[in-house]
Amino acid sequence: MYAGFSDFKDSGVPYIYDISYIGEQFEFRRELPWIGDNSPGFGASYSDYETKVVAGNTFDYPYNHGKAFSNNGYSFSSASKDALEYLEKSHNEIDILDIILGKQRQTKKGRASFGIKYNIYNTTMIDFISKYAQSGGNIIISGANVATDLWDSYEKDTLAQKFASDILKYTWITDQAI
């Protein structure tokens, strides 16, 4: 039976920083015992991070982005994805729509297919951004999976892909930069 932490696809994000991470796990077979340092058994991981501090989420990105916008004479508003209803009423007053997604991406719920959560571009988000862009609004979208989530994910939503091509003006090529 296999068990452990497979962080090769998504390592997660620590709060502010992490000093306890020592490296990626490479041995997932529960039945393998520790024999010695050269054969460490179940749970063994690389040690290439044992002297490093892993940067995490400081949760101050809206403040930092907003400060830069304000210093250059632009208005801004910060809100969660769930607060788009409020922003939709006031989006004509906003010079720049700054969407900070971080490492958000689609994730399966549970072991079996119980659905998908953390989808970046849901219908509400697509409608809001489309209206804002078509009214001449300026948009900045940052994050690790802003394209990958549409083309290389659990649910390939053709409507969202068309939105990316027509409104955001990008096309998918690969998720691996060379």
Side-chain angles (χ1 to χ4, degrees), residues 160-171:
Q161 290 173 349
K162 183 171 173 28
F163 156 75
S165 299
D166 295 349
I167 302 296
L168 300 180
K169 307 292 185 197
Y170 74 80
T171 352

Side-chain angles (χ1 to χ4, degrees), residues 81 84 119-134 150 157-164 167-168:
K81 186 172 155 184
L84 288 180
N119 185 357
I120 292 176
Y121 300 108
N122 62 27
T123 308
T124 305
M125 180 74 90
I126 289 171
D127 290 345
F128 178 78
I129 293 172
S130 296
K131 287 176 190 171
Y132 184 74
Q134 290 165 347
L150 294 176
D157 182 348
T158 54
L159 177 66
Q161 290 173 349
K162 183 171 173 28
F163 156 75
I167 302 296
L168 300 180

Side-chain angles (χ1 to χ4, degrees), residues 13-162:
V13 182
Y15 173 65
I16 302 178
Y17 63 87
D18 185 1
I19 59 171
S20 63
Y21 181 75
I22 61 166
E24 186 176 320
Q25 182 176 339
F26 64 83
E27 186 52 73
F28 297 91
R29 295 173 289 179
R30 288 180 189 231
E31 70 275 5
L32 291 182
W34 182 86
I35 296 171
D37 289 345
N38 292 327
S39 184
F42 170 64
S45 63
Y46 299 106
S47 59
D48 51 333
Y49 278 84
E50 65 185 2
T51 61
K52 297 178 182 173
V53 175
V54 177
N57 193 343
T58 55
F59 296 97
D60 60 353
Y61 298 108
Y63 170 78
N64 291 326
H65 290 199
K67 191 172 171 184
F69 297 146
S70 181
N71 288 343
N72 286 286
Y74 296 103
S75 64
F76 71 95
S77 180
S78 176
S80 69
K81 186 172 155 184
D82 297 330
L84 288 180
E85 186 177 324
Y86 164 75
L87 276 179
E88 191 159 18
K89 295 172 186 169
S90 64
H91 79 272
N92 290 333
E93 303 164 12
I94 301 168
D95 293 325
I96 301 169
L97 180 60
D98 182 22
I99 301 171
I100 303 169
L101 298 170
K103 285 185 74 173
Q104 183 172 331
R105 66 182 296 170
Q106 290 181 19
T107 305
K108 280 186 178 181
K109 292 180 189 175
R111 289 183 181 191
S113 184
F114 292 113
I116 303 294
K117 63 181 186 175
Y118 305 125
N119 185 357
I120 292 176
Y121 300 108
N122 62 27
T123 308
T124 305
M125 180 74 90
I126 289 171
D127 290 345
F128 178 78
I129 293 172
S130 296
K131 287 176 190 171
Y132 184 74
Q134 290 165 347
S135 71
N138 301 297
I139 303 169
I140 297 172
I141 301 177
S142 62
N145 301 293
V146 293
T148 309
D149 208 52
L150 294 176
W151 277 275
D152 188 25
S153 60
Y154 299 110
E155 291 183 344
K156 291 168 184 65
D157 182 348
T158 54
L159 177 66
Q161 290 173 349
K162 183 171 173 28

